[in-house]
Amino acid sequence: PGLHVFAIAFALEVSVGKTNTVMALNNSNVLLPCSFTSCTGFLDLVFTWYFNSTELLIVPPLPLQIYQGKIKNKASEPTLIWHNPRVEFVGSTTKKDNNISIVLNNVEFSDAGKYTCHVKNPKERNAQHNATIFLTVVHKMVETDNTVTLIIVGVVGGLIGLLILFMLIKRVVLFIIKKTQDGKKECLVSSSGNDNTENGLAGSKAEQKAPPKA
């Protein structure tokens, strides 16, 4: 039984994506992503967004609670329970992903901090799980300077190109040297045969004796 409860407790998962940090311009709107998965499905699921709060189980309404919704089942979209006027729900739970993302409108510097997406599923014996995303609010977006990266990539590419060119030249030179050496060997063999014939060595015409006179 203990193992069974352990498996159910971890069937519910909540995620805010690959990165848990978001940067937004002051006075802009920012998306706070969140989605959940449940191996056993869900029924009357409740999700809540908190701002800078670690007390996730206090009965609402909470001063730091910015959005709360309820989802009856997979065939229905969430219904609103409570929300901050500047918070807008933009997710959907009837599509492939159980998306419970929100948008925070007219971001202010005081909005910077920790946002927690919390989910409670009664169908999984009230299993609960949450994920946190950190928002940074800036006055101006700083463009990333990729000059150094481009220089490094160019240098590395150039070195690889030179190495390939060097290998090709080396192969061509070695081929020419081999052909030249083979040609010299053929000349030496031919020259040696001619010298033996002219100098009257064994097996040459000069060595043949005239027949004895009768």
Side-chain angles (χ1 to χ4, degrees):
L3 293 177
H4 182 66
V5 172
F6 181 85
I8 291 179
F10 283 87
L12 178 67
E13 294 289 339
V14 179
S15 173
V16 293
K18 295 181 179 180
T19 177
N20 66 339
T21 58
V22 173
M23 183 177 293
L25 274 174
N26 186 38
N27 293 323
S28 69
N29 302 334
V30 61
L31 172 68
L32 300 178
C34 183
S35 62
F36 70 89
T37 58
S38 176
C39 297
T40 59
F42 58 89
L43 185 65
D44 294 329
L45 179 143
V46 176
F47 66 95
T48 310
W49 277 91
Y50 297 90
F51 172 59
N52 283 342
S53 176
T54 57
E55 301 297 328
L56 301 179
L57 305 180
I58 298 177
V59 178
L62 289 172
L64 299 181
Q65 183 185 102
I66 60 174
Y67 193 96
Q68 186 173 61
K70 185 176 183 179
I71 313 170
K72 183 175 180 59
N73 52 47
K74 181 63 179 177
S76 60
E77 292 289 357
T79 57
L80 173 66
I81 297 177
W82 186 90
H83 77 115
N84 183 292
R86 290 197 296 124
V87 177
E88 177 185 359
F89 180 78
V90 293
S92 175
T93 53
T94 58
K95 298 180 181 179
K96 184 178 180 180
D97 298 327
N98 294 317
N99 188 343
I100 49 175
S101 303
I102 59 173
V103 167
L104 180 60
N105 297 311
N106 301 320
V107 173
E108 303 172 356
F109 289 107
S110 59
D111 293 326
K114 179 176 68 174
Y115 290 80
T116 302
C117 178
H118 178 259
V119 176
K120 181 179 180 180
N121 187 13
K123 189 175 181 179
E124 296 183 59
R125 298 185 181 181
N126 289 321
Q128 303 181 56
H129 199 251
N130 64 79
T132 300
I133 190 167
F134 295 90
L135 173 65
T136 302
V137 182
V138 296
H139 178 68
K140 181 181 180 181
M141 289 290 189
V142 179
E143 295 183 1
T144 304
D145 188 358
N146 295 324
T147 304
V148 176
T149 303
L150 293 175
I151 292 175
I152 294 175
V153 171
V155 171
V156 172
L159 291 175
I160 294 175
L162 288 175
L163 180 61
I164 294 174
L165 180 61
F166 173 76
M167 296 298 294
L168 290 174
I169 294 175
K170 181 180 177 181
R171 292 191 65 176
V172 171
V173 171
L174 290 175
F175 177 78
I176 294 174
I177 292 174
K178 186 175 183 302
K179 284 294 184 181
T180 303
Q181 290 177 345
D182 291 344
K184 288 183 179 180
K185 288 180 181 179
E186 291 178 359
C187 290
L188 289 173
V189 172
S190 176
S191 175
S192 176
N194 293 335
D195 290 345
N196 289 342
T197 302
E198 293 174 359
N199 295 333
L201 298 178
S204 66
K205 292 180 180 179
E207 189 182 35
Q208 296 179 358
K209 297 181 180 180
K213 295 181 180 180

PDB file of all heavy atoms in Angstrom, residues 119-158:
ATOM      1  N   VAL A 119      -0.941  23.098  -8.395  1.00  0.00           N
ATOM      2  CA  VAL A 119      -2.061  22.295  -8.886  1.00  0.00           C
ATOM      3  C   VAL A 119      -2.444  21.247  -7.845  1.00  0.00           C
ATOM      4  O   VAL A 119      -1.569  20.603  -7.246  1.00  0.00           O
ATOM      5  CB  VAL A 119      -1.695  21.592 -10.223  1.00  0.00           C
ATOM      6  CG1 VAL A 119      -2.842  20.684 -10.679  1.00  0.00           C
ATOM      7  CG2 VAL A 119      -1.380  22.621 -11.299  1.00  0.00           C
ATOM      8  N   LYS A 120      -3.745  21.076  -7.662  1.00  0.00           N
ATOM      9  CA  LYS A 120      -4.266  20.063  -6.741  1.00  0.00           C
ATOM     10  C   LYS A 120      -5.321  19.239  -7.473  1.00  0.00           C
ATOM     11  O   LYS A 120      -6.271  19.784  -8.025  1.00  0.00           O
ATOM     12  CB  LYS A 120      -4.884  20.727  -5.508  1.00  0.00           C
ATOM     13  CG  LYS A 120      -5.442  19.743  -4.485  1.00  0.00           C
ATOM     14  CD  LYS A 120      -6.007  20.480  -3.276  1.00  0.00           C
ATOM     15  CE  LYS A 120      -6.572  19.510  -2.245  1.00  0.00           C
ATOM     16  NZ  LYS A 120      -7.129  20.236  -1.064  1.00  0.00           N
ATOM     17  N   ASN A 121      -5.137  17.919  -7.479  1.00  0.00           N
ATOM     18  CA  ASN A 121      -6.023  17.025  -8.214  1.00  0.00           C
ATOM     19  C   ASN A 121      -6.741  16.059  -7.262  1.00  0.00           C
ATOM     20  O   ASN A 121      -6.146  15.095  -6.781  1.00  0.00           O
ATOM     21  CB  ASN A 121      -5.222  16.226  -9.250  1.00  0.00           C
ATOM     22  CG  ASN A 121      -6.108  15.397 -10.153  1.00  0.00           C
ATOM     23  OD1 ASN A 121      -7.322  15.574 -10.185  1.00  0.00           O
ATOM     24  ND2 ASN A 121      -5.480  14.478 -10.892  1.00  0.00           N
ATOM     25  N   PRO A 122      -8.010  16.259  -6.972  1.00  0.00           N
ATOM     26  CA  PRO A 122      -8.767  15.368  -6.085  1.00  0.00           C
ATOM     27  C   PRO A 122      -8.818  13.919  -6.574  1.00  0.00           C
ATOM     28  O   PRO A 122      -8.897  12.990  -5.765  1.00  0.00           O
ATOM     29  CB  PRO A 122     -10.165  15.989  -6.066  1.00  0.00           C
ATOM     30  CG  PRO A 122      -9.944  17.424  -6.410  1.00  0.00           C
ATOM     31  CD  PRO A 122      -8.819  17.416  -7.388  1.00  0.00           C
ATOM     32  N   LYS A 123      -8.758  13.718  -7.901  1.00  0.00           N
ATOM     33  CA  LYS A 123      -8.843  12.364  -8.439  1.00  0.00           C
ATOM     34  C   LYS A 123      -7.637  11.527  -8.045  1.00  0.00           C
ATOM     35  O   LYS A 123      -7.704  10.292  -8.037  1.00  0.00           O
ATOM     36  CB  LYS A 123      -8.973  12.424  -9.966  1.00  0.00           C
ATOM     37  CG  LYS A 123      -9.285  11.076 -10.597  1.00  0.00           C
ATOM     38  CD  LYS A 123      -9.537  11.202 -12.083  1.00  0.00           C
ATOM     39  CE  LYS A 123      -9.867   9.832 -12.686  1.00  0.00           C
ATOM     40  NZ  LYS A 123     -10.149   9.906 -14.131  1.00  0.00           N
ATOM     41  N   GLU A 124      -6.522  12.168  -7.732  1.00  0.00           N
ATOM     42  CA  GLU A 124      -5.316  11.462  -7.308  1.00  0.00           C
ATOM     43  C   GLU A 124      -5.144  11.586  -5.789  1.00  0.00           C
ATOM     44  O   GLU A 124      -4.052  11.877  -5.307  1.00  0.00           O
ATOM     45  CB  GLU A 124      -4.083  12.031  -8.028  1.00  0.00           C
ATOM     46  CG  GLU A 124      -4.097  11.837  -9.534  1.00  0.00           C
ATOM     47  CD  GLU A 124      -2.832  12.361 -10.169  1.00  0.00           C
ATOM     48  OE1 GLU A 124      -1.731  11.884  -9.811  1.00  0.00           O
ATOM     49  OE2 GLU A 124      -2.924  13.268 -11.010  1.00  0.00           O
ATOM     50  N   ARG A 125      -6.238  11.390  -5.071  1.00  0.00           N
ATOM     51  CA  ARG A 125      -6.212  11.497  -3.607  1.00  0.00           C
ATOM     52  C   ARG A 125      -5.657  12.859  -3.168  1.00  0.00           C
ATOM     53  O   ARG A 125      -4.815  12.954  -2.287  1.00  0.00           O
ATOM     54  CB  ARG A 125      -5.387  10.366  -2.998  1.00  0.00           C
ATOM     55  CG  ARG A 125      -5.947   8.974  -3.286  1.00  0.00           C
ATOM     56  CD  ARG A 125      -5.168   7.900  -2.568  1.00  0.00           C
ATOM     57  NE  ARG A 125      -5.702   6.575  -2.875  1.00  0.00           N
ATOM     58  CZ  ARG A 125      -5.220   5.442  -2.361  1.00  0.00           C
ATOM     59  NH1 ARG A 125      -4.201   5.487  -1.525  1.00  0.00           N
ATOM     60  NH2 ARG A 125      -5.763   4.282  -2.692  1.00  0.00           N
ATOM     61  N   ASN A 126      -6.134  13.897  -3.859  1.00  0.00           N
ATOM     62  CA  ASN A 126      -5.727  15.281  -3.589  1.00  0.00           C
ATOM     63  C   ASN A 126      -4.221  15.502  -3.742  1.00  0.00           C
ATOM     64  O   ASN A 126      -3.610  16.275  -3.001  1.00  0.00           O
ATOM     65  CB  ASN A 126      -6.185  15.713  -2.189  1.00  0.00           C
ATOM     66  CG  ASN A 126      -7.682  15.908  -2.115  1.00  0.00           C
ATOM     67  OD1 ASN A 126      -8.293  16.422  -3.051  1.00  0.00           O
ATOM     68  ND2 ASN A 126      -8.282  15.490  -1.008  1.00  0.00           N
ATOM     69  N   ALA A 127      -3.628  14.808  -4.706  1.00  0.00           N
ATOM     70  CA  ALA A 127      -2.201  15.000  -4.984  1.00  0.00           C
ATOM     71  C   ALA A 127      -1.945  16.453  -5.373  1.00  0.00           C
ATOM     72  O   ALA A 127      -2.755  17.084  -6.061  1.00  0.00           O
ATOM     73  CB  ALA A 127      -1.759  14.073  -6.112  1.00  0.00           C
ATOM     74  N   GLN A 128      -0.814  17.001  -4.919  1.00  0.00           N
ATOM     75  CA  GLN A 128      -0.472  18.393  -5.190  1.00  0.00           C
ATOM     76  C   GLN A 128       0.955  18.489  -5.724  1.00  0.00           C
ATOM     77  O   GLN A 128       1.829  17.717  -5.324  1.00  0.00           O
ATOM     78  CB  GLN A 128      -0.597  19.238  -3.920  1.00  0.00           C
ATOM     79  CG  GLN A 128      -1.985  19.179  -3.296  1.00  0.00           C
ATOM     80  CD  GLN A 128      -2.072  20.039  -2.055  1.00  0.00           C
ATOM     81  OE1 GLN A 128      -1.787  21.229  -2.096  1.00  0.00           O
ATOM     82  NE2 GLN A 128      -2.471  19.436  -0.924  1.00  0.00           N
ATOM     83  N   HIS A 129       1.152  19.433  -6.618  1.00  0.00           N
ATOM     84  CA  HIS A 129       2.489  19.660  -7.162  1.00  0.00           C
ATOM     85  C   HIS A 129       2.570  21.101  -7.625  1.00  0.00           C
ATOM     86  O   HIS A 129       1.553  21.717  -7.942  1.00  0.00           O
ATOM     87  CB  HIS A 129       2.767  18.711  -8.329  1.00  0.00           C
ATOM     88  CG  HIS A 129       4.230  18.565  -8.638  1.00  0.00           C
ATOM     89  ND1 HIS A 129       4.811  19.093  -9.764  1.00  0.00           N
ATOM     90  CD2 HIS A 129       5.224  17.949  -7.947  1.00  0.00           C
ATOM     91  CE1 HIS A 129       6.105  18.791  -9.777  1.00  0.00           C
ATOM     92  NE2 HIS A 129       6.382  18.106  -8.679  1.00  0.00           N
ATOM     93  N   ASN A 130       3.767  21.665  -7.662  1.00  0.00           N
ATOM     94  CA  ASN A 130       3.915  23.052  -8.110  1.00  0.00           C
ATOM     95  C   ASN A 130       5.255  23.262  -8.787  1.00  0.00           C
ATOM     96  O   ASN A 130       6.182  22.445  -8.655  1.00  0.00           O
ATOM     97  CB  ASN A 130       3.745  24.021  -6.931  1.00  0.00           C
ATOM     98  CG  ASN A 130       4.828  23.845  -5.889  1.00  0.00           C
ATOM     99  OD1 ASN A 130       5.941  24.311  -6.033  1.00  0.00           O
ATOM    100  ND2 ASN A 130       4.501  23.142  -4.797  1.00  0.00           N
ATOM    101  N   ALA A 131       5.358  24.350  -9.518  1.00  0.00           N
ATOM    102  CA  ALA A 131       6.593  24.760 -10.181  1.00  0.00           C
ATOM    103  C   ALA A 131       6.717  26.271 -10.076  1.00  0.00           C
ATOM    104  O   ALA A 131       5.707  26.981 -10.020  1.00  0.00           O
ATOM    105  CB  ALA A 131       6.595  24.321 -11.640  1.00  0.00           C
ATOM    106  N   THR A 132       7.947  26.749 -10.039  1.00  0.00           N
ATOM    107  CA  THR A 132       8.198  28.175  -9.794  1.00  0.00           C
ATOM    108  C   THR A 132       8.940  28.814 -10.957  1.00  0.00           C
ATOM    109  O   THR A 132       9.839  28.200 -11.549  1.00  0.00           O
ATOM    110  CB  THR A 132       9.006  28.351  -8.500  1.00  0.00           C
ATOM    111  OG1 THR A 132       8.265  27.809  -7.404  1.00  0.00           O
ATOM    112  CG2 THR A 132       9.305  29.822  -8.235  1.00  0.00           C
ATOM    113  N   ILE A 133       8.554  30.047 -11.266  1.00  0.00           N
ATOM    114  CA  ILE A 133       9.221  30.829 -12.294  1.00  0.00           C
ATOM    115  C   ILE A 133       9.567  32.194 -11.713  1.00  0.00           C
ATOM    116  O   ILE A 133       8.796  32.760 -10.931  1.00  0.00           O
ATOM    117  CB  ILE A 133       8.332  30.953 -13.556  1.00  0.00           C
ATOM    118  CG1 ILE A 133       9.124  31.554 -14.715  1.00  0.00           C
ATOM    119  CG2 ILE A 133       7.074  31.761 -13.278  1.00  0.00           C
ATOM    120  CD1 ILE A 133       8.412  31.411 -16.043  1.00  0.00           C
ATOM    121  N   PHE A 134      10.739  32.729 -12.080  1.00  0.00           N
ATOM    122  CA  PHE A 134      11.219  34.002 -11.532  1.00  0.00           C
ATOM    123  C   PHE A 134      11.154  35.088 -12.608  1.00  0.00           C
ATOM    124  O   PHE A 134      11.662  34.914 -13.715  1.00  0.00           O
ATOM    125  CB  PHE A 134      12.657  33.851 -11.024  1.00  0.00           C
ATOM    126  CG  PHE A 134      12.776  32.906  -9.862  1.00  0.00           C
ATOM    127  CD1 PHE A 134      12.998  31.545 -10.082  1.00  0.00           C
ATOM    128  CD2 PHE A 134      12.653  33.372  -8.560  1.00  0.00           C
ATOM    129  CE1 PHE A 134      13.103  30.669  -9.014  1.00  0.00           C
ATOM    130  CE2 PHE A 134      12.768  32.491  -7.491  1.00  0.00           C
ATOM    131  CZ  PHE A 134      12.974  31.136  -7.716  1.00  0.00           C
ATOM    132  N   LEU A 135      10.513  36.196 -12.239  1.00  0.00           N
ATOM    133  CA  LEU A 135      10.348  37.315 -13.166  1.00  0.00           C
ATOM    134  C   LEU A 135      11.285  38.458 -12.802  1.00  0.00           C
ATOM    135  O   LEU A 135      11.356  38.878 -11.644  1.00  0.00           O
ATOM    136  CB  LEU A 135       8.894  37.812 -13.135  1.00  0.00           C
ATOM    137  CG  LEU A 135       8.591  39.092 -13.918  1.00  0.00           C
ATOM    138  CD1 LEU A 135       8.798  38.872 -15.410  1.00  0.00           C
ATOM    139  CD2 LEU A 135       7.170  39.570 -13.641  1.00  0.00           C
ATOM    140  N   THR A 136      11.978  38.958 -13.821  1.00  0.00           N
ATOM    141  CA  THR A 136      12.825  40.132 -13.680  1.00  0.00           C
ATOM    142  C   THR A 136      12.258  41.251 -14.541  1.00  0.00           C
ATOM    143  O   THR A 136      11.966  41.039 -15.727  1.00  0.00           O
ATOM    144  CB  THR A 136      14.271  39.838 -14.117  1.00  0.00           C
ATOM    145  OG1 THR A 136      14.794  38.766 -13.333  1.00  0.00           O
ATOM    146  CG2 THR A 136      15.168  41.061 -13.927  1.00  0.00           C
ATOM    147  N   VAL A 137      12.087  42.423 -13.974  1.00  0.00           N
ATOM    148  CA  VAL A 137      11.541  43.570 -14.707  1.00  0.00           C
ATOM    149  C   VAL A 137      12.662  44.573 -14.936  1.00  0.00           C
ATOM    150  O   VAL A 137      13.364  44.965 -13.996  1.00  0.00           O
ATOM    151  CB  VAL A 137      10.382  44.229 -13.937  1.00  0.00           C
ATOM    152  CG1 VAL A 137       9.804  45.395 -14.736  1.00  0.00           C
ATOM    153  CG2 VAL A 137       9.292  43.200 -13.645  1.00  0.00           C
ATOM    154  N   VAL A 138      12.838  45.004 -16.184  1.00  0.00           N
ATOM    155  CA  VAL A 138      13.938  45.906 -16.526  1.00  0.00           C
ATOM    156  C   VAL A 138      13.394  47.154 -17.222  1.00  0.00           C
ATOM    157  O   VAL A 138      12.286  47.149 -17.776  1.00  0.00           O
ATOM    158  CB  VAL A 138      14.970  45.205 -17.433  1.00  0.00           C
ATOM    159  CG1 VAL A 138      15.636  44.050 -16.695  1.00  0.00           C
ATOM    160  CG2 VAL A 138      14.321  44.701 -18.713  1.00  0.00           C
ATOM    161  N   HIS A 139      14.204  48.197 -17.194  1.00  0.00           N
ATOM    162  CA  HIS A 139      13.824  49.459 -17.844  1.00  0.00           C
ATOM    163  C   HIS A 139      14.058  49.389 -19.346  1.00  0.00           C
ATOM    164  O   HIS A 139      13.329  49.992 -20.143  1.00  0.00           O
ATOM    165  CB  HIS A 139      14.633  50.616 -17.248  1.00  0.00           C
ATOM    166  CG  HIS A 139      14.356  51.943 -17.886  1.00  0.00           C
ATOM    167  ND1 HIS A 139      13.150  52.597 -17.746  1.00  0.00           N
ATOM    168  CD2 HIS A 139      15.124  52.731 -18.703  1.00  0.00           C
ATOM    169  CE1 HIS A 139      13.183  53.721 -18.423  1.00  0.00           C
ATOM    170  NE2 HIS A 139      14.366  53.831 -19.016  1.00  0.00           N
ATOM    171  N   LYS A 140      15.088  48.618 -19.748  1.00  0.00           N
ATOM    172  CA  LYS A 140      15.434  48.515 -21.160  1.00  0.00           C
ATOM    173  C   LYS A 140      16.048  47.153 -21.419  1.00  0.00           C
ATOM    174  O   LYS A 140      16.868  46.681 -20.645  1.00  0.00           O
ATOM    175  CB  LYS A 140      16.420  49.628 -21.551  1.00  0.00           C
ATOM    176  CG  LYS A 140      16.834  49.617 -23.012  1.00  0.00           C
ATOM    177  CD  LYS A 140      17.816  50.740 -23.300  1.00  0.00           C
ATOM    178  CE  LYS A 140      18.242  50.734 -24.766  1.00  0.00           C
ATOM    179  NZ  LYS A 140      19.213  51.814 -25.062  1.00  0.00           N
ATOM    180  N   MET A 141      15.634  46.545 -22.521  1.00  0.00           N
ATOM    181  CA  MET A 141      16.198  45.263 -22.910  1.00  0.00           C
ATOM    182  C   MET A 141      17.588  45.482 -23.494  1.00  0.00           C
ATOM    183  O   MET A 141      17.780  46.370 -24.338  1.00  0.00           O
ATOM    184  CB  MET A 141      15.311  44.561 -23.951  1.00  0.00           C
ATOM    185  CG  MET A 141      14.003  44.041 -23.380  1.00  0.00           C
ATOM    186  SD  MET A 141      14.278  42.636 -22.259  1.00  0.00           S
ATOM    187  CE  MET A 141      12.575  42.110 -22.015  1.00  0.00           C
ATOM    188  N   VAL A 142      18.538  44.697 -23.038  1.00  0.00           N
ATOM    189  CA  VAL A 142      19.909  44.796 -23.536  1.00  0.00           C
ATOM    190  C   VAL A 142      20.100  43.758 -24.621  1.00  0.00           C
ATOM    191  O   VAL A 142      19.881  42.562 -24.392  1.00  0.00           O
ATOM    192  CB  VAL A 142      20.935  44.568 -22.405  1.00  0.00           C
ATOM    193  CG1 VAL A 142      22.354  44.643 -22.946  1.00  0.00           C
ATOM    194  CG2 VAL A 142      20.706  45.595 -21.296  1.00  0.00           C
ATOM    195  N   GLU A 143      20.486  44.227 -25.813  1.00  0.00           N
ATOM    196  CA  GLU A 143      20.724  43.303 -26.912  1.00  0.00           C
ATOM    197  C   GLU A 143      22.023  42.551 -26.677  1.00  0.00           C
ATOM    198  O   GLU A 143      23.035  43.126 -26.266  1.00  0.00           O
ATOM    199  CB  GLU A 143      20.808  44.054 -28.248  1.00  0.00           C
ATOM    200  CG  GLU A 143      19.500  44.725 -28.646  1.00  0.00           C
ATOM    201  CD  GLU A 143      19.603  45.384 -29.998  1.00  0.00           C
ATOM    202  OE1 GLU A 143      20.695  45.294 -30.614  1.00  0.00           O
ATOM    203  OE2 GLU A 143      18.616  45.986 -30.430  1.00  0.00           O
ATOM    204  N   THR A 144      21.991  41.265 -26.966  1.00  0.00           N
ATOM    205  CA  THR A 144      23.174  40.435 -26.789  1.00  0.00           C
ATOM    206  C   THR A 144      24.140  40.676 -27.931  1.00  0.00           C
ATOM    207  O   THR A 144      23.778  40.617 -29.109  1.00  0.00           O
ATOM    208  CB  THR A 144      22.783  38.945 -26.762  1.00  0.00           C
ATOM    209  OG1 THR A 144      21.816  38.746 -25.731  1.00  0.00           O
ATOM    210  CG2 THR A 144      23.995  38.065 -26.491  1.00  0.00           C
ATOM    211  N   ASP A 145      25.411  40.981 -27.575  1.00  0.00           N
ATOM    212  CA  ASP A 145      26.443  41.204 -28.579  1.00  0.00           C
ATOM    213  C   ASP A 145      27.065  39.862 -28.956  1.00  0.00           C
ATOM    214  O   ASP A 145      27.767  39.240 -28.159  1.00  0.00           O
ATOM    215  CB  ASP A 145      27.511  42.149 -28.021  1.00  0.00           C
ATOM    216  CG  ASP A 145      28.507  42.572 -29.094  1.00  0.00           C
ATOM    217  OD1 ASP A 145      28.373  42.104 -30.244  1.00  0.00           O
ATOM    218  OD2 ASP A 145      29.436  43.349 -28.778  1.00  0.00           O
ATOM    219  N   ASN A 146      26.820  39.457 -30.192  1.00  0.00           N
ATOM    220  CA  ASN A 146      27.352  38.170 -30.661  1.00  0.00           C
ATOM    221  C   ASN A 146      28.639  38.317 -31.456  1.00  0.00           C
ATOM    222  O   ASN A 146      29.063  37.372 -32.130  1.00  0.00           O
ATOM    223  CB  ASN A 146      26.296  37.474 -31.542  1.00  0.00           C
ATOM    224  CG  ASN A 146      25.054  37.110 -30.740  1.00  0.00           C
ATOM    225  OD1 ASN A 146      25.155  36.740 -29.573  1.00  0.00           O
ATOM    226  ND2 ASN A 146      23.897  37.215 -31.370  1.00  0.00           N
ATOM    227  N   THR A 147      29.275  39.503 -31.377  1.00  0.00           N
ATOM    228  CA  THR A 147      30.483  39.738 -32.170  1.00  0.00           C
ATOM    229  C   THR A 147      31.578  38.747 -31.829  1.00  0.00           C
ATOM    230  O   THR A 147      32.216  38.154 -32.716  1.00  0.00           O
ATOM    231  CB  THR A 147      30.997  41.174 -31.946  1.00  0.00           C
ATOM    232  OG1 THR A 147      29.957  42.100 -32.250  1.00  0.00           O
ATOM    233  CG2 THR A 147      32.209  41.448 -32.832  1.00  0.00           C
ATOM    234  N   VAL A 148      31.832  38.569 -30.533  1.00  0.00           N
ATOM    235  CA  VAL A 148      32.903  37.651 -30.111  1.00  0.00           C
ATOM    236  C   VAL A 148      32.605  36.237 -30.577  1.00  0.00           C
ATOM    237  O   VAL A 148      33.492  35.523 -31.070  1.00  0.00           O
ATOM    238  CB  VAL A 148      33.075  37.700 -28.576  1.00  0.00           C
ATOM    239  CG1 VAL A 148      34.109  36.672 -28.129  1.00  0.00           C
ATOM    240  CG2 VAL A 148      33.478  39.088 -28.120  1.00  0.00           C
ATOM    241  N   THR A 149      31.355  35.827 -30.440  1.00  0.00           N
ATOM    242  CA  THR A 149      30.972  34.478 -30.870  1.00  0.00           C
ATOM    243  C   THR A 149      31.188  34.290 -32.365  1.00  0.00           C
ATOM    244  O   THR A 149      31.715  33.256 -32.804  1.00  0.00           O
ATOM    245  CB  THR A 149      29.495  34.217 -30.531  1.00  0.00           C
ATOM    246  OG1 THR A 149      29.293  34.394 -29.124  1.00  0.00           O
ATOM    247  CG2 THR A 149      29.090  32.801 -30.923  1.00  0.00           C
ATOM    248  N   LEU A 150      30.805  35.312 -33.154  1.00  0.00           N
ATOM    249  CA  LEU A 150      30.991  35.224 -34.601  1.00  0.00           C
ATOM    250  C   LEU A 150      32.461  35.162 -34.975  1.00  0.00           C
ATOM    251  O   LEU A 150      32.857  34.439 -35.894  1.00  0.00           O
ATOM    252  CB  LEU A 150      30.322  36.430 -35.283  1.00  0.00           C
ATOM    253  CG  LEU A 150      28.789  36.485 -35.197  1.00  0.00           C
ATOM    254  CD1 LEU A 150      28.277  37.787 -35.796  1.00  0.00           C
ATOM    255  CD2 LEU A 150      28.180  35.294 -35.933  1.00  0.00           C
ATOM    256  N   ILE A 151      33.297  35.926 -34.259  1.00  0.00           N
ATOM    257  CA  ILE A 151      34.743  35.900 -34.527  1.00  0.00           C
ATOM    258  C   ILE A 151      35.309  34.516 -34.240  1.00  0.00           C
ATOM    259  O   ILE A 151      36.087  33.961 -35.023  1.00  0.00           O
ATOM    260  CB  ILE A 151      35.460  36.973 -33.682  1.00  0.00           C
ATOM    261  CG1 ILE A 151      35.073  38.379 -34.169  1.00  0.00           C
ATOM    262  CG2 ILE A 151      36.982  36.786 -33.761  1.00  0.00           C
ATOM    263  CD1 ILE A 151      35.636  39.492 -33.311  1.00  0.00           C
ATOM    264  N   ILE A 152      34.913  33.948 -33.102  1.00  0.00           N
ATOM    265  CA  ILE A 152      35.417  32.620 -32.728  1.00  0.00           C
ATOM    266  C   ILE A 152      34.997  31.577 -33.762  1.00  0.00           C
ATOM    267  O   ILE A 152      35.802  30.749 -34.198  1.00  0.00           O
ATOM    268  CB  ILE A 152      34.913  32.231 -31.322  1.00  0.00           C
ATOM    269  CG1 ILE A 152      35.526  33.157 -30.268  1.00  0.00           C
ATOM    270  CG2 ILE A 152      35.249  30.773 -31.011  1.00  0.00           C
ATOM    271  CD1 ILE A 152      34.990  32.933 -28.872  1.00  0.00           C
ATOM    272  N   VAL A 153      33.721  31.637 -34.170  1.00  0.00           N
ATOM    273  CA  VAL A 153      33.228  30.688 -35.172  1.00  0.00           C
ATOM    274  C   VAL A 153      33.975  30.854 -36.487  1.00  0.00           C
ATOM    275  O   VAL A 153      34.347  29.869 -37.146  1.00  0.00           O
ATOM    276  CB  VAL A 153      31.708  30.880 -35.388  1.00  0.00           C
ATOM    277  CG1 VAL A 153      31.226  30.052 -36.568  1.00  0.00           C
ATOM    278  CG2 VAL A 153      30.943  30.486 -34.131  1.00  0.00           C
ATOM    279  N   GLY A 154      34.245  32.122 -36.893  1.00  0.00           N
ATOM    280  CA  GLY A 154      34.971  32.377 -38.129  1.00  0.00           C
ATOM    281  C   GLY A 154      36.396  31.846 -38.085  1.00  0.00           C
ATOM    282  O   GLY A 154      36.886  31.245 -39.047  1.00  0.00           O
ATOM    283  N   VAL A 155      37.071  32.063 -36.943  1.00  0.00           N
ATOM    284  CA  VAL A 155      38.454  31.593 -36.801  1.00  0.00           C
ATOM    285  C   VAL A 155      38.513  30.070 -36.841  1.00  0.00           C
ATOM    286  O   VAL A 155      39.349  29.476 -37.532  1.00  0.00           O
ATOM    287  CB  VAL A 155      39.066  32.128 -35.482  1.00  0.00           C
ATOM    288  CG1 VAL A 155      40.412  31.464 -35.216  1.00  0.00           C
ATOM    289  CG2 VAL A 155      39.239  33.638 -35.563  1.00  0.00           C
ATOM    290  N   VAL A 156      37.621  29.438 -36.096  1.00  0.00           N
ATOM    291  CA  VAL A 156      37.600  27.970 -36.073  1.00  0.00           C
ATOM    292  C   VAL A 156      37.298  27.415 -37.463  1.00  0.00           C
ATOM    293  O   VAL A 156      37.941  26.464 -37.926  1.00  0.00           O
ATOM    294  CB  VAL A 156      36.556  27.467 -35.052  1.00  0.00           C
ATOM    295  CG1 VAL A 156      36.394  25.954 -35.157  1.00  0.00           C
ATOM    296  CG2 VAL A 156      36.972  27.839 -33.637  1.00  0.00           C
ATOM    297  N   GLY A 157      36.329  28.027 -38.154  1.00  0.00           N
ATOM    298  CA  GLY A 157      36.003  27.583 -39.500  1.00  0.00           C
ATOM    299  C   GLY A 157      37.176  27.762 -40.453  1.00  0.00           C
ATOM    300  O   GLY A 157      37.446  26.898 -41.296  1.00  0.00           O
ATOM    301  N   GLY A 158      37.893  28.895 -40.312  1.00  0.00           N
ATOM    302  CA  GLY A 158      39.061  29.131 -41.153  1.00  0.00           C
ATOM    303  C   GLY A 158      40.161  28.115 -40.913  1.00  0.00           C
ATOM    304  O   GLY A 158      40.793  27.614 -41.851  1.00  0.00           O
TER     305      GLY A 158
END
